[in-house]
Amino acid sequence: MKITIENLQLRYGGVAAIKNMDLEIGDRESVVLLGKSGCGKTSTMRCIAGLEEPTAGRITIGDTVVFDAEAGINLPPNKRNVGMVFQSYAVWPHMTVFENVAYSLKLQKVAKAEIKQRVAEALELVGLESFADRGASLLSGGQMQRVALARSLVMRPSVLLLDEPLSNLDARLRDRLRVELREIQLRLGLTTVYVTHDQLEAFALADRIALMQDGVIVQMDAPDAMYNSPASASIAHFLGVANVLDVDVASTGTGTWTLAGSGLPITSTAPEPGRGKGGLKACVHSEDVRLSAERPAGRNVYPATVLVAGFQGASTRYAVSIDGKLELDVLASARGNTRFEVGARVWVSIDPAAVQVLPETAVAPAAPGATRPAATLERVGS
């Protein structure tokens, strides 16, 4: 079911949590609201659910207007047909798994036979069909979160809202449940809004990511497009780009820039930077920095010394210093590559196509639609 948000605003006293948001989420689409704490992502979700009353704007779910400030419409949460899974499990420990999942259906006075059938279906979806009679207090954290998910799914919502539901789990369990959540969303064809500050979680679960900063969506794109083409240096840094380097001067027309403080040249063949605020920065993914014992041919080649070498299983992470002028983060595959020790003299090389020169922050994007990116920056000179 489609969700349409128009000119949404939410203020807490003099603080604007959401600023004039326009967002359209397509039927059966999974959109992840991604950003740092305080950026407005959870407030946006709570407005959709009816747990917060916006200051202004309009929210439509399917063909039903659930909130309209001007028309005085504000449907309560139980009239919006949305399911919500929170960070805390909120499982009743004195009940069995079956009783936890069935509770809301009993409040609605659903027939016993239908309750049994719907609870069984929900538990099978989340892989807890054999745990129906187990006391909730005997469950692990991952199992409790599955119960919370089943409790939402049993209501057969048209929209599923998830507020950082995996943040309390250990890393391996989080990885597994990400896959399971995505499988359930695709199998049921649910329109899903997921809130997180974890970019890896966003990449795994989203059809599109809406990255928020200070109450505004600053970029909206498919996960791979956002990772490969961030709209600004601040977005790149948030998405895990470790090498964000200040740029002083551009050699007009050549694509070669000077790195601030070091005087080193760096060449980029990526598209010219879009308009934005703040200074320009050269952004390079750690995996795009190469180390070698012999000097390679090409541009962006520098002599360096290995400061740190950390083995990480499938990869090795290095910190290297370019003659004391610049420090870079490098992520190299542990297979098929030479392992360099601390203190080793090496050559650093960066493909010019992997260097993106970006403004510190992006200009305000156009209102996003369901099928196009929300933040396409104007190019310099256009």
Side-chain angles (χ1 to χ4, degrees):
M1 190 164 292
K2 187 169 77 170
I3 303 172
T4 304
I5 296 174
E6 303 168 80
N7 193 34
L8 187 68
Q9 301 173 45
L10 177 65
R11 300 187 68 86
Y12 298 112
V15 178
I18 305 172
K19 306 171 185 175
N20 302 313
M21 177 186 291
D22 291 303
L23 174 62
E24 193 169 289
I25 300 170
D27 183 33
R28 303 188 175 199
E29 184 179 25
S30 176
V31 166
V32 173
L33 302 179
L34 175 66
K36 298 178 182 179
S37 296
C39 71
K41 57 188 187 297
T42 295
S43 295
T44 300
M45 174 176 285
R46 290 176 62 84
C47 287
I48 295 171
L51 301 176
E52 293 281 358
E53 183 174 350
T55 308
R58 177 184 171 100
I59 302 172
T60 306
I61 300 177
D63 297 324
T64 303
V65 177
V66 298
F67 177 81
D68 189 322
E70 291 188 2
I73 297 171
N74 187 19
L75 296 186
N78 63 314
K79 299 293 185 181
R80 299 192 182 198
N81 194 25
V82 299
M84 192 157 184
V85 182
F86 296 93
Q87 181 176 343
S88 60
Y89 312 132
V91 170
W92 290 288
H94 63 287
M95 295 183 182
T96 65
V97 169
F98 182 96
E99 290 167 341
N100 266 278
V101 177
Y103 184 76
S104 296
L105 296 177
K106 288 181 178 178
L107 290 180
Q108 293 186 347
K109 302 189 185 303
V110 176
K112 288 185 178 180
E114 185 177 351
I115 289 176
K116 186 176 181 179
Q117 176 190 346
R118 286 169 64 172
V119 170
E121 290 173 353
L123 291 179
E124 184 179 0
L125 273 172
V126 300
L128 290 179
E129 61 269 29
S130 62
F131 290 77
D133 297 325
R134 180 171 296 188
S137 61
L138 302 177
L139 300 177
S140 68
Q143 290 166 340
M144 286 186 183
Q145 197 56 282
R146 285 188 173 93
V147 172
L149 178 59
R151 195 166 52 200
S152 289
L153 295 176
V154 79
M155 301 304 294
R156 296 175 179 171
S158 56
V159 172
L160 184 62
L161 309 176
L162 302 107
D163 187 8
E164 304 202 59
L166 308 183
S167 61
N168 289 333
L169 306 178
D170 64 70
R172 183 173 295 182
L173 185 54
R174 279 202 307 271
D175 288 343
R176 188 165 80 242
L177 286 185
R178 285 172 193 160
V179 176
E180 293 181 12
L181 279 173
R182 185 59 165 155
E183 287 177 347
I184 290 170
Q185 186 262 329
L186 292 171
R187 192 187 319 167
L188 298 182
L190 283 170
T191 302
T192 304
V193 182
Y194 193 103
V195 163
T196 184
H197 63 274
D198 185 327
Q199 65 268 25
L200 295 180
E201 207 161 90
F203 293 150
L205 292 168
D207 292 313
R208 288 187 302 154
I209 297 171
L211 198 147
M212 296 187 66
Q213 293 176 345
D214 300 322
V216 175
I217 296 174
V218 291
Q219 185 172 2
M220 187 158 190
D221 229 326
D224 58 341
M226 183 172 288
Y227 182 79
N228 292 316
S229 301
S232 71
S234 62
I235 292 174
H237 186 262
F238 183 77
L239 294 177
V241 177
N243 301 304
V244 179
L245 313 169
D246 290 336
V247 167
D248 270 341
V249 181
S251 299
T252 306
T254 68
T256 298
W257 309 76
T258 301
L259 295 174
S262 69
L264 294 171
I266 190 165
T267 299
S268 170
T269 57
E272 286 291 302
R275 289 179 181 166
K277 299 177 182 178
L280 294 176
K281 297 179 183 290
C283 302
V284 183
H285 290 283
S286 299
E287 61 268 27
D288 290 326
V289 183
R290 302 282 183 261
L291 299 184
S292 56
E294 302 294 332
R295 177 172 183 147
R299 293 171 290 179
N300 300 336
V301 176
Y302 316 100
T305 302
V306 175
L307 301 178
V308 177
F311 180 67
Q312 298 181 345
S315 62
T316 302
R317 186 172 292 276
Y318 297 96
V320 299
S321 172
I322 301 177
D323 290 341
K325 298 177 180 178
L326 189 68
E327 189 171 315
L328 294 177
D329 183 82
V330 183
L331 187 64
S333 172
R335 295 182 179 180
N337 285 320
T338 303
R339 175 82 183 274
F340 297 101
E341 301 298 331
V342 173
R345 292 291 291 170
V346 295
W347 288 95
V348 169
S349 60
I350 306 169
D351 186 338
V355 179
Q356 294 174 300
V357 179
L358 301 171
E360 170 62 26
T361 57
V363 295
T371 58
R372 65 180 179 87
T376 302
L377 295 180
E378 294 178 79
R379 296 297 169 190
V380 173
S382 63

